[in-house]
Amino acid sequence: EPRSPCCCLAWTLVIGAMNCLVFLLNLLLMFVIFTIVLLPTIVVVYFGFQCHSQVLHSSARYCKSILDDNSSSALIILGFVIMSPLIVVAMAIYCSLARRLRLLMCFQPYSLAVYKGGCCCRRGEGAPCCAWGCGAQRKAWV
């Protein structure tokens, strides 16, 4: 049975807010995983750019005694070379975690706002974010 226009608008806003919250949670999780996995690349490229005379040319002691322009260039190249496999590893970790936690099932369709009695989950696919499940005891006229 269709909802009234005001109720439909309210449910649309609630579902939209919930979908935005789930999107931000996924984005935060992806940011944390990519930051942790890509940390070696970030550090290597940072030190390479920091000690190169044509870029930042830091006056730090390790830049003067250990790293010259050739070794700084090598660090920059090494950082960008190891970035590709680490991006693949980070994406695999994120996809595995999102699949295990069923985070993509938390997005709700807007058809829940239009009709009464819709379910947020299919039977047996309950995600941790579902507020209510679809059981046999659920009636169509509620």
Side-chain angles (χ1 to χ4, degrees):
E1 154 182 6
R3 296 183 192 271
S4 67
C6 292
C7 187
C8 182
L9 179 63
W11 274 103
T12 301
L13 292 176
V14 167
I15 291 172
M18 190 172 101
N19 284 344
C20 287
L21 187 65
V22 169
F23 174 74
L24 290 176
L25 176 72
N26 277 311
L27 199 62
L28 177 69
L29 181 67
M30 187 182 296
F31 176 75
V32 167
I33 289 172
F34 271 73
T35 301
I36 291 171
V37 172
L38 292 176
L39 193 60
T41 298
I42 295 168
V43 170
V44 167
V45 170
Y46 171 75
F47 282 118
F49 277 125
Q50 184 183 17
C51 294
H52 200 280
S53 67
Q54 298 294 323
V55 184
L56 293 177
H57 194 59
S58 175
S59 61
R61 193 183 67 152
Y62 56 85
C63 286
K64 292 178 182 177
S65 63
I66 299 174
L67 297 174
D68 59 353
D69 281 349
N70 290 333
S71 57
S72 296
S73 297
L75 282 179
I76 294 168
I77 291 169
L78 175 70
F80 284 114
V81 166
I82 65 173
M83 186 184 299
S84 297
L86 289 180
I87 287 175
V88 172
V89 168
M91 197 63 202
I93 291 171
Y94 167 73
C95 289
S96 172
L97 195 59
R99 188 175 194 182
R100 181 166 293 155
L101 296 175
R102 298 180 179 183
L103 291 178
L104 299 178
M105 292 181 64
C106 294
F107 289 105
Q108 299 301 320
Y110 284 101
S111 62
L112 288 176
V114 178
Y115 297 104
K116 293 181 182 178
C119 294
C120 76
C121 305
R122 288 187 271 298
R123 175 169 285 198
E125 295 181 355
C129 57
C130 288
W132 60 86
C134 292
Q137 70 272 13
R138 192 156 172 91
K139 297 185 170 82
W141 59 84
V142 174

